[in-house]
Coordinates of all heavy atoms in Angstrom, one line a residue:
G1499 N 0.8 -1.2 0.0 CA -0.1 0.0 0.0 C 0.8 1.3 0.0 O 0.2 2.4 -0.1
G1500 N 2.2 1.2 0.1 CA 2.9 2.4 0.0 C 3.0 3.0 -1.3 O 2.3 2.4 -2.3
G1501 N 3.5 4.2 -1.5 CA 3.6 4.8 -2.8 C 3.8 6.3 -2.6 O 4.2 6.8 -1.5
A1502 N 3.6 7.0 -3.7 CA 3.8 8.5 -3.8 C 2.4 9.2 -3.8 O 1.5 8.7 -4.7 CB 4.7 8.8 -4.9
V1503 N 2.3 10.2 -3.2 CA 1.1 11.1 -3.1 C 1.4 12.6 -2.8 O 2.4 12.7 -2.3 CB 0.1 10.4 -2.1 CG1 0.8 10.7 -0.7 CG2 -1.2 10.9 -2.2
T1504 N 0.5 13.3 -3.3 CA 0.7 14.7 -3.1 C 0.1 15.1 -1.7 O -0.7 14.4 -1.1 CB -0.1 15.6 -4.1 OG1 -1.4 15.3 -4.2 CG2 0.7 15.4 -5.6
A1505 N 0.6 16.2 -1.1 CA 0.1 16.6 0.2 C -1.4 16.7 0.1 O -2.0 17.3 -0.8 CB 0.8 18.0 0.5
G1506 N -2.0 16.2 1.3 CA -3.5 16.4 1.4 C -4.0 15.0 0.9 O -5.3 14.8 1.2
G1507 N -3.3 14.2 0.3 CA -3.9 12.9 -0.2 C -3.9 11.8 1.0 O -3.6 12.1 2.1
S1508 N -4.3 10.7 0.5 CA -4.5 9.5 1.5 C -3.8 8.3 0.8 O -3.7 8.1 -0.3 CB -6.0 9.2 1.6 OG -6.7 10.3 2.1
L1509 N -3.5 7.4 1.9 CA -2.9 6.1 1.4 C -3.4 5.1 2.6 O -3.6 5.5 3.7 CB -1.4 6.0 1.4 CG -0.7 6.7 0.2 CD1 0.8 6.7 0.5 CD2 -1.1 5.9 -1.1
R1510 N -3.4 3.9 2.2 CA -3.9 2.9 3.1 C -2.7 1.7 3.1 O -2.5 1.2 2.0 CB -5.2 2.3 2.8 CG -5.7 1.4 4.0 CD -7.0 0.6 3.6 NE -7.7 -0.1 4.6 CZ -8.2 -1.3 4.6 NH1 -8.3 -1.9 3.4 NH2 -8.9 -1.8 5.6
L1511 N -2.2 1.5 4.3 CA -1.1 0.5 4.3 C -1.8 -0.8 4.9 O -2.6 -0.6 5.8 CB 0.0 1.0 5.2 CG 0.7 2.2 4.7 CD1 2.0 2.4 5.7 CD2 1.2 2.1 3.4
S1512 N -1.4 -1.8 4.4 CA -1.7 -3.2 5.1 C -0.5 -4.0 5.4 O 0.5 -3.9 4.7 CB -2.5 -3.9 4.0 OG -3.8 -3.2 3.7
C1513 N -0.7 -4.8 6.4 CA 0.5 -5.7 6.9 C -0.2 -7.1 7.3 O -0.9 -7.1 8.2 CB 1.2 -5.1 8.0 SG 2.5 -6.2 8.7
A1514 N 0.2 -8.0 6.4 CA -0.4 -9.3 6.7 C 0.6 -10.3 7.4 O 1.8 -10.4 6.8 CB -1.0 -9.9 5.3
A1515 N 0.2 -11.0 8.3 CA 1.1 -11.8 9.0 C 0.8 -13.4 8.6 O -0.3 -13.6 8.5 CB 1.1 -11.6 10.5
S1516 N 1.8 -14.0 8.3 CA 1.6 -15.4 8.0 C 2.6 -16.3 8.8 O 3.4 -15.8 9.4 CB 1.9 -15.7 6.5 OG 3.3 -15.4 6.3
G1517 N 2.1 -17.7 9.0 CA 2.9 -18.6 9.8 C 2.0 -18.9 11.0 O 0.8 -18.8 10.8
I1518 N 2.6 -19.3 12.1 CA 1.9 -19.7 13.3 C 1.7 -18.3 14.1 O 2.5 -17.9 14.6 CB 2.5 -20.7 14.1 CG1 2.8 -22.0 13.3 CG2 1.8 -20.9 15.3 CD1 3.6 -23.0 13.9
I1519 N 0.4 -17.9 14.0 CA 0.0 -16.7 14.6 C -1.0 -17.0 15.7 O -2.0 -17.7 15.5 CB -0.6 -15.7 13.6 CG1 0.3 -15.4 12.5 CG2 -0.9 -14.3 14.3 CD1 1.7 -14.9 12.7
F1520 N -0.8 -16.5 16.9 CA -1.7 -16.8 18.0 C -1.8 -15.6 19.0 O -0.9 -15.2 19.6 CB -1.4 -18.0 18.9 CG -2.3 -18.3 19.9 CD1 -3.5 -18.9 19.7 CD2 -2.0 -18.0 21.2 CE1 -4.4 -19.2 20.6 CE2 -2.9 -18.3 22.3 CZ -4.1 -18.9 22.0
R1521 N -2.9 -14.8 18.8 CA -3.2 -13.7 19.8 C -2.0 -12.7 19.8 O -1.6 -12.5 20.9 CB -3.7 -14.2 21.0 CG -4.9 -14.9 20.9 CD -5.5 -15.2 22.3 NE -6.7 -16.1 22.2 CZ -7.3 -16.7 23.4 NH1 -6.9 -16.4 24.5 NH2 -8.5 -17.3 23.1
P1522 N -1.6 -12.1 18.8 CA -0.6 -11.0 18.9 C -0.9 -10.0 20.0 O -2.0 -9.5 20.0 CB -0.3 -10.5 17.6 CG -1.0 -11.5 16.6 CD -2.0 -12.1 17.4
S1523 N 0.1 -9.7 20.9 CA -0.3 -8.7 22.0 C -0.2 -7.2 21.3 O -0.9 -6.4 21.9 CB 0.7 -8.9 23.1 OG 2.0 -8.7 22.6
F1524 N 0.4 -7.2 20.2 CA 0.6 -5.9 19.6 C 0.8 -5.9 18.1 O 1.5 -6.8 17.6 CB 1.8 -5.1 20.2 CG 2.2 -3.7 19.5 CD1 1.5 -2.6 20.0 CD2 3.1 -3.8 18.5 CE1 1.9 -1.4 19.4 CE2 3.2 -2.6 17.9 CZ 2.6 -1.3 18.2
M1525 N 0.1 -5.1 17.4 CA 0.4 -4.9 16.1 C 0.4 -3.4 15.7 O -0.5 -2.7 16.1 CB -0.6 -5.6 15.1 CG -0.7 -7.2 15.3 SD -1.8 -8.0 14.0 CE -0.7 -8.0 12.6
G1526 N 1.4 -3.0 14.9 CA 1.3 -1.6 14.7 C 2.4 -1.1 13.6 O 3.0 -2.0 12.9
W1527 N 2.6 0.1 13.5 CA 3.4 0.8 12.5 C 4.4 1.7 13.0 O 4.1 2.5 13.9 CB 2.6 1.6 11.5 CG 1.6 0.6 10.7 CD1 0.3 0.2 11.1 CD2 1.8 0.0 9.5 NE1 -0.3 -0.6 10.3 CE2 0.6 -0.8 9.2 CE3 2.9 -0.1 8.7 CZ2 0.6 -1.6 8.0 CZ3 2.8 -0.9 7.5 CH2 1.6 -1.6 7.2
Y1528 N 5.6 1.6 12.5 CA 6.7 2.5 12.8 C 7.1 3.2 11.5 O 6.8 2.7 10.5 CB 7.9 1.7 13.4 CG 7.6 1.3 14.8 CD1 6.8 0.3 15.1 CD2 8.3 1.9 15.9 CE1 6.6 -0.1 16.5 CE2 8.1 1.6 17.2 CZ 7.3 0.5 17.5 OH 7.0 0.2 18.8

């Protein structure tokens, strides 16, 4: 979902986890 945009615009990032996933205590963006 990253890319280039002009000021005032919008973007939506997605992050999909795969593998053995069980109740992550935290998910977020840096």
Side-chain angles (χ1 to χ4, degrees):
V1503 65
T1504 56
S1508 299
L1509 285 173
R1510 188 190 193 214
L1511 305 182
S1512 300
C1513 174
S1516 63
I1518 299 175
I1519 310 297
F1520 183 74
R1521 296 182 181 176
S1523 59
F1524 173 88
M1525 296 187 80
W1527 295 90
Y1528 287 71

